[in-house]
């Protein structure tokens, strides 16, 4: 393949059999020369990933053979450095070719805006992400990218796995301009041709102090497990008079240490702000991330409180967002955390932005939330599970229950780790009723609300069977009515 000029229409370079299958909007965009490239330094930032991946595979699988080489130390060092340099050159060359074949364009000419991305060295790929399905926009600044003033723009689009669109890397100023343009187009704002979309103002609501983050991390279950494992390993080494238990448990220890560090690193400098664009989150120690979740994109929400946080009155808030449903591990920790540790008053401020309609006719939103956080039985108007549920849940059955407001469904539970799940009626995708053999014998059943896949799985266990059946019927009607009246996805046109 010969390099293509940036201003050459992409459509003319595609095979006829591929071009004939494209829809009209995509053909019109590909025929337009107004495409943009990523920053020229991108191949350098991508090359080290290729080198690191190959080194891990090669060295990890051939460690014994490398150590058995009968070479002087200086010769072995030169051989390793030469291999790394060769890998770096190959990685940089391939990354440069991939960069040459990657371009993007924002199209707002069809009423429903879209982002078009073309990439591929051996196989060409065309991506078209409609902005009316935009769930979140993240500006990510990795440590190495910050040295060059670059950032990665990540678009989370509803559509299952593989729906994310990534533009890496752009100048930070360009990434912000593109972000503003995407959010403006998704919101339904019309910007004059040739002008940049203005950045919406924001109002900071919550800032997590570093001291609170450190203390809460030390009091988390991950840290407790890490300490217990280390103590167990130390005892094992003492009685065995050997370091074998330490080496045998190295993977588990590193995993726990990594999880604790990840929680602290992603929560460092955490701020929550309100904006016409939606909820804005900024956080990160080594990798800084600025997230923007447009209005109405939060599908479900969970508030949890570990036992050791109870005295301080701290809570953690996690959410389900459609675009983040396919992420796991560290990325899921970064993307789905709405507030790593906050007080009840801070919860009230955040929930007022995400779910502003939790109040009932006789209770304020804060009273409803407090009853869900710490109440039991019928406190706060919740419907509790019957007393016979104690045979299946003898620790936390008094805490279990649900509450239905005009706009949301709330489910509480947990005694050692308190929890409250909140699902807007309009975001309830389906419902299910389950009944195990012991539940049938006791006349109990469980109701589950199906939301976008994520960390939040709302359910109410061990309800009376007739109550569960009635809840299933009524909640189905509420969800259907809420979806019908939810309005357009382009929130500025509501």
């Amino acid at each position: 393949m010969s390099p293509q000029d940036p201003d050459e229409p992409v459509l003319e370079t595609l095979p006829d059999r591929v071009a004939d299958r494209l829809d009209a909007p995509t053909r019109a965009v590909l025929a337009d020369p107004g495409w943009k490239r990523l920053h020229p330094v991108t191949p350098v930032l991508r090359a080290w990933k290729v080198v690191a991946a190959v080194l891990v595979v090669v060295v990890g699988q051939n460690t014994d053979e490398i150590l058995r080489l009968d070479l002087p130390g200086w010769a072995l060092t030169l051989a390793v450095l030469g291999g790394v340099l060769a890998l770096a050159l190959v990685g940089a060359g391939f990354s440069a070719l991939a960069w040459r074949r990657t371009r993007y364009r924002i199209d707002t000419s069809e009423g429903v805006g879209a982002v078009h991305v073309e990439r591929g060295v051996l196989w060409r790929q065309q991506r078209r992400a409609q902005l009316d399905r935009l769930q979140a926009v993240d500006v990510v600044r990795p440590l190495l990218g910050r040295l060059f003033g670059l950032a990665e723009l990540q678009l989370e689009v509803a559509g299952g796995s593989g729906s994310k669109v990534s533009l890496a890397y752009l100048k930070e100023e360009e990434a912000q301009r593109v972000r503003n343009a995407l959010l403006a187009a998704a919101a339904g704002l019309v910007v004059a041709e040739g002008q940049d979309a203005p950045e919406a103002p924001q109002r900071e609501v919550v800032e997590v102090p570093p001291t609170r983050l450190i203390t809460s991390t030390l009091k988390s279950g991950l840290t407790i497990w890490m300490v217990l494992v280390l103590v167990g390993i130390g005892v094992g080494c003492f009685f065995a008079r050997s370091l074998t238990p330490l080496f045998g448990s190295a993977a588990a220890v590193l995993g726990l240490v990594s999880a604790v560090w990840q929680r602290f690193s992603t929560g460092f400098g955490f701020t929550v702000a309100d904006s016409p664009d939606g909820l804005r989150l900024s956080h990160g120690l080594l990798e800084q991330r600025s997230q923007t979740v447009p209005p109405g994109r939060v599908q479900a929400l969970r508030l949890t409180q570990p036992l050791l946080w109870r005295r301080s009155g701290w809570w953690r808030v996690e959410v389900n967002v459609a675009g983040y449903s396919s992420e796991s591990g560290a990325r899921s920790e970064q993307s789905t955390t709405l507030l790593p540790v906050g007080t009840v008053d801070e919860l009230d401020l955040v929930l007022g932005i995400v779910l502003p309609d939790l109040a009932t006719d006789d209770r304020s939103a804060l009273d409803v939330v407090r009853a869900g956080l710490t109440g039991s039985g019928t406190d706060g108007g919740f419907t509790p599970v019957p007393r016979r549920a104690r045979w299946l849940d003898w620790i936390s059955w008094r805490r279990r229950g649900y509450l239905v407001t005009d706009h949301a469904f709330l489910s509480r539970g947990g005694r050692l780790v308190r929890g409250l799940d909140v699902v807007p009626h309009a975001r309830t995708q389906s419902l299910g009723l389950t009944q195990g053999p012991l539940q049938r014998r006791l006349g109990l059943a469980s109701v589950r609300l199906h939301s976008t896949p994520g960390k939040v799985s709302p359910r109410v266990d061990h309800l009376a069977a007739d109550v569960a059946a009635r809840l299933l019927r009524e909640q189905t009607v509420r969800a259907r009515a809420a979806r019908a009246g939810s309005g357009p996805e382009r929130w500025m046109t509501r």
Side-chain angles (χ1 to χ4, degrees):
M1 293 184 180
S2 59
Q4 179 184 330
D5 187 85
D7 295 330
E8 182 183 354
V10 180
L11 189 60
E12 297 179 3
T13 68
L14 295 177
D16 292 339
R17 64 180 183 277
V18 176
D20 292 341
R21 297 176 183 175
L22 299 177
D23 56 15
T26 303
R27 290 176 58 85
V29 171
L30 294 180
D32 193 316
W35 287 77
K36 295 183 180 180
R37 292 195 184 277
L38 304 177
H39 196 275
V41 181
T42 297
V44 178
L45 299 181
R46 290 188 178 277
W48 77 268
K49 296 182 180 180
V50 177
V51 175
V54 174
L55 283 178
V56 168
V57 174
V58 173
V59 176
Q61 295 182 353
N62 301 278
T63 303
D64 295 337
E65 287 75 6
I66 294 175
L67 293 177
R68 283 198 294 267
L69 291 176
D70 189 15
L71 293 175
W74 63 270
L76 183 60
T77 301
L78 288 178
V80 171
L81 292 177
V84 171
L85 179 60
L87 284 175
L89 292 176
V90 172
F94 183 84
S95 299
L97 185 58
W99 168 83
R100 181 72 177 174
R101 294 294 184 182
T102 303
R103 63 195 74 209
Y104 71 95
R105 185 180 189 277
I106 302 175
D107 174 35
T108 57
S109 60
E110 297 297 323
V112 178
V115 177
H116 297 261
V117 180
E118 180 219 356
R119 56 164 53 94
V121 178
L122 300 179
W123 292 275
R124 283 289 183 89
Q125 297 178 358
Q126 302 288 341
R127 294 287 306 278
R128 180 173 183 263
Q130 290 189 189
L131 295 183
D132 61 344
R133 299 180 63 81
L134 186 68
Q135 301 296 308
V137 180
D138 299 352
V139 178
V140 183
R141 303 173 183 85
L143 181 60
L144 187 58
R146 283 155 55 191
L147 298 178
F148 295 91
L150 302 181
E152 176 183 2
L153 195 68
Q154 296 179 357
L155 283 65
E156 308 290 347
V157 184
S161 60
S163 60
K164 175 189 289 187
V165 176
S166 174
L167 300 177
Y169 292 89
L170 304 171
K171 289 290 290 183
E172 290 190 13
E173 298 80 4
E174 178 67 14
Q176 291 293 341
R177 283 196 297 270
V178 175
R179 168 190 165 278
N180 297 338
L182 294 175
L183 290 171
L189 294 179
V190 178
V191 180
E193 186 176 355
Q195 294 186 0
D196 293 332
E199 182 173 0
Q202 68 178 36
R203 174 180 61 92
E204 188 173 299
V205 177
V206 176
E207 181 178 3
V208 179
T211 52
R212 185 199 299 172
L213 179 65
I214 294 173
T215 306
S216 64
T217 303
L218 294 176
K219 291 183 177 182
S220 67
L222 285 173
T223 304
I224 294 174
W225 275 110
M226 183 181 68
V227 172
L228 291 176
V229 168
L230 291 176
V231 170
I233 293 174
V235 172
C237 292
F238 175 78
F239 285 104
R241 299 185 183 279
S242 170
L243 295 179
T244 301
L246 176 61
F247 295 131
S249 306
V253 173
L254 289 177
L256 287 171
V257 172
S258 176
V260 172
W261 167 255
Q262 185 67 35
R263 177 158 294 190
F264 168 76
S265 177
T266 57
F268 186 84
F270 204 103
T271 60
V272 181
D274 186 17
S275 168
D277 286 339
L279 192 71
R280 292 188 178 179
L281 311 175
S282 299
H283 54 92
L285 179 59
L286 300 181
E287 180 182 273
Q288 296 180 350
R289 179 181 291 258
S290 299
Q291 299 174 248
T292 303
V293 182
R297 267 36 175 195
V298 173
Q299 309 290 318
L301 181 145
R302 168 172 292 171
L303 299 87
T304 55
Q305 184 186 59
L307 181 62
L308 296 181
W309 287 14
R310 195 168 299 178
R311 186 171 183 178
S312 302
W314 294 335
W315 291 82
R316 179 178 178 85
V317 185
E318 296 172 307
V319 295
N320 284 357
V321 176
Y324 297 135
S325 60
S326 61
E327 297 187 345
S328 60
R331 287 195 175 274
S332 177
E333 180 82 12
Q334 292 177 329
S335 304
T336 61
T337 301
L338 189 61
L339 186 63
V341 53
T343 63
V344 174
D345 292 337
E346 291 171 345
L347 292 184
D348 184 40
L349 294 174
V350 173
L351 292 178
I353 301 173
V354 182
L355 300 172
D357 301 316
L358 287 181
T360 62
D361 293 337
D362 55 346
R363 295 178 181 86
S364 66
L366 182 57
D367 290 338
V368 171
V369 172
R370 285 181 182 271
L373 298 179
T374 60
S376 61
T378 59
D379 292 347
F382 275 72
T383 300
V385 300
R387 185 176 180 83
R388 58 183 180 275
R390 70 186 186 279
W391 297 107
L392 300 179
D393 184 10
W394 58 277
I395 294 179
S396 59
W397 69 273
R398 293 181 184 274
R399 277 268 303 155
R400 292 196 181 276
Y402 73 90
L403 174 68
V404 178
T405 70
D406 292 338
H407 299 278
F409 177 91
L410 296 86
S411 171
R412 72 182 179 198
R415 179 67 67 179
L416 298 180
V417 179
R418 293 171 174 170
L420 175 67
D421 294 342
V422 185
V423 186
H425 296 322
R427 300 304 171 188
T428 302
Q429 298 185 358
S430 63
L431 295 100
L433 188 146
T434 58
Q435 191 177 48
L438 294 179
Q439 286 182 318
R440 285 197 297 270
R441 188 175 182 86
L442 294 171
L444 304 175
S446 300
V447 175
R448 180 172 181 178
L449 280 70
H450 300 130
S451 172
T452 298
K455 291 191 173 183
V456 187
S457 301
R459 60 184 300 152
V460 188
D461 289 324
H462 315 318
L463 286 170
D466 58 332
V467 174
R470 184 173 65 252
L471 173 62
L472 185 70
R473 293 192 302 268
E474 295 176 351
Q475 191 62 23
T476 301
V477 174
R478 293 188 194 100
R480 185 184 302 116
R483 286 195 298 270
S486 60
E489 292 290 344
R490 308 180 79 180
W491 60 92
M492 286 297 182
T493 63
R494 294 175 185 172

